C-alpha cells in the first residue's frame, strides 16, 4: 500500500500545490488507498505472521510471549470492529502521532469530524476491551469502589 501511495503521488506530482505541505498530501493518498483496500474483499491479503518486524529489547518468557500474543489478538479484534473511517483516524492519531489538523488535511475532512470519529473509535474500543481490562479500568471510567 505504501509503495502504491508513493507511485500515485509521483504520477500526480504535477497537480500538487507547492504552497501546501507535502506530508499530509501523501498521507491522504495512502489513507484513501487503505480505506479502499479494507472495503474491497477481493484485494485483501493474508496477514503477516504474528510479531513480524518486531524486535524485542529483552528476552521474554513463554508466558509473556503468550500474554503479548493474546493482547495483540484482542486489540486487533477490537480494531476490526471500527469502521474504516474511524480506524483511519485512530491509526493516524495513535500510531502515526499526527495532530487533529494534520489528520483533517490528510483525509480531507473537517477537524471536528476527526475529533468525533476519534472519540467514537476510543469509546468503541473501550467497550470492546472492557472485559479484559479489569477493575482498574472500571474505576478509571467512574465505576467506583
Amino acid at each position: 500500500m505504501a509503495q502504491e501511495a508513493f507511485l500515485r503521488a509521483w504520477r500526480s506530482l504535477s497537480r500538487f500545490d507547492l504552497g501546501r505541505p507535502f506530508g499530509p498530501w501523501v498521507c491522504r493518498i495512502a489513507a484513501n488507498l487503505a480505506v479502499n483496500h479494507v472495503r474491497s474483499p477481493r484485494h485483501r491479503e493474508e496477514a503477516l505472521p504474528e510479531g513480524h518486524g518486531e524486535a524485542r529489547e529483552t528476552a521474554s518468557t513463554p508466558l509473556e510471549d503468550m500474554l503479548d500474543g493474546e493482547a495483540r489478538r484482542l486489540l486487533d479484534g477490537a480494531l476490526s470492529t471500527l469502521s474504516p473511517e474511524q480506524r483511519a483516524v485512530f491509526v493516524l492519531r495513535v500510531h502515526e502521532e499526527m495532530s487533529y489538523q494534520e489528520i483533517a488535511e490528510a483525509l480531507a475532512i473537517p477537524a471536528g469530524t476527526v475529533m468525533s470519529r476519534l472519540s467514537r473509535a476510543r469509546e468503541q474500543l473501550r467497550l470492546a476491551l472492557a472485559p479484559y481490562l479489569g477493575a482498574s479500568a472500571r474505576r478509571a471510567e467512574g465505576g467506583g469502589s
Side-chain angles (χ1 to χ4, degrees):
M1 299 303 305
Q3 182 178 0
E4 180 64 25
F6 280 107
L7 283 173
R8 288 188 184 194
W10 175 258
R11 290 182 196 132
S12 303
L13 208 49
S14 63
R15 293 181 290 193
F16 175 64
D17 178 6
L18 295 175
R20 304 201 62 162
F22 182 75
W25 181 68
V26 171
C27 283
R28 179 179 177 189
I29 293 170
N32 288 341
L33 281 170
V35 168
N36 290 340
H37 179 76
V38 168
R39 287 182 176 164
S40 174
R42 65 186 177 98
H43 286 110
R44 291 194 183 172
E45 298 174 5
E46 298 225 1
L48 293 173
E50 188 175 316
H52 176 77
E54 295 178 10
R56 291 217 178 253
E57 292 180 16
T58 60
S60 60
T61 67
L63 177 60
E64 289 171 330
D65 288 342
M66 183 199 66
L67 292 174
D68 286 347
E70 181 64 18
R72 230 182 336 274
R73 280 188 292 281
L74 289 170
L75 182 57
D76 287 345
L79 285 171
S80 71
T81 67
L82 299 178
S83 71
E85 294 82 7
Q86 288 174 333
R87 193 173 321 125
V89 169
F90 184 82
V91 168
L92 290 174
R93 179 70 177 154
V94 174
H95 184 66
E96 299 298 325
E97 299 178 355
M98 293 174 72
S99 71
Y100 294 137
Q101 191 57 41
E102 289 170 328
I103 296 168
E105 290 173 11
L107 299 178
I109 58 177
T113 303
V114 170
M115 290 186 274
S116 65
R117 286 181 184 174
L118 186 58
S119 176
R120 288 185 187 114
R122 286 176 173 158
E123 178 62 15
Q124 193 168 334
L125 290 173
R126 185 188 66 75
L127 291 172
L129 296 172
Y132 307 101
L133 297 178
S136 62
R138 286 188 291 281
R139 279 194 300 276
E141 69 186 38
S145 71

